[in-house]
Amino acid sequence: MEKHTTLSQSKKLAEFLPLESADMHYNNASIKGVNYVDNYRAELMDYNTAVKVLSKYSLNPLFEIVPCWSLDALLDILPYPSLHKTHLGWRCDSYNKEGTTCRLGENKNSPIDACVEMILKLHNENVL
């Protein structure tokens, strides 16, 4: 099961979420040196720290650091989330502070997908 957002999900979320909320990152740094890039891989270092640590690669125009979110980080972003497994998959709902209004999520294959879907929904509704 996924432990973090995919690269495409991460790039989409990075368009509007605060980058400091990303507790992980993707990068394509190569062990061959700063003039090379490899396939993207997710790493546990938070985004802001990765930018500092990997700054020597920044001169390479092909190098990229992309923020990435774990399930815990996604749940921290959502207002009053409720994540649960249903017979159709995973669903993430979001409540208001009073618990009187609930935005229902859609059933997804994983908890990460369910949370990303809810974050996108709330963003599109200008709630996030």
Side-chain angles (χ1 to χ4, degrees), residues 71-89:
L71 179 59
D72 286 341
L74 293 173
L75 290 170
D76 284 346
I77 291 165
L78 286 163
Y80 306 96
S82 173
L83 180 66
H84 44 276
K85 188 168 177 72
T86 72
H87 66 284
L88 298 174

Side-chain angles (χ1 to χ4, degrees), residues 3-15:
K3 297 184 184 333
H4 50 77
T5 52
T6 64
L7 184 58
S8 62
Q9 288 171 331
S10 296
K11 287 183 176 186
K12 183 67 179 167
L13 294 175
E15 293 175 8

Side-chain angles (χ1 to χ4, degrees), residues 23 29 73 87 116:
D23 59 342
H87 66 284
V116 168

Side-chain angles (χ1 to χ4, degrees), residues 31-112:
I31 60 171
K32 295 178 186 174
V34 296
N35 296 321
Y36 301 91
V37 292
D38 283 335
N39 292 329
Y40 287 93
R41 65 192 167 283
E43 296 189 4
L44 292 173
M45 188 183 307
D46 69 84
Y47 175 77
N48 287 336
T49 303
V51 169
K52 292 174 191 167
V53 170
L54 298 172
S55 63
K56 65 183 177 184
Y57 287 90
S58 63
L59 296 177
N60 182 339
L62 299 176
F63 174 70
E64 188 176 20
I65 300 173
V66 179
C68 178
W69 289 264
S70 69
L71 179 59
D72 286 341
L74 293 173
L75 290 170
D76 284 346
I77 291 165
L78 286 163
Y80 306 96
S82 173
L83 180 66
H84 44 276
K85 188 168 177 72
T86 72
H87 66 284
L88 298 174
W90 287 90
R91 195 173 88 198
C92 181
D93 301 330
S94 181
Y95 292 84
N96 67 353
K97 185 176 182 179
E98 297 79 28
T100 56
T101 304
C102 177
R103 287 181 173 80
L104 297 177
E106 297 176 16
N107 288 299
K108 297 294 180 180
N109 292 330
S110 75
I112 295 281

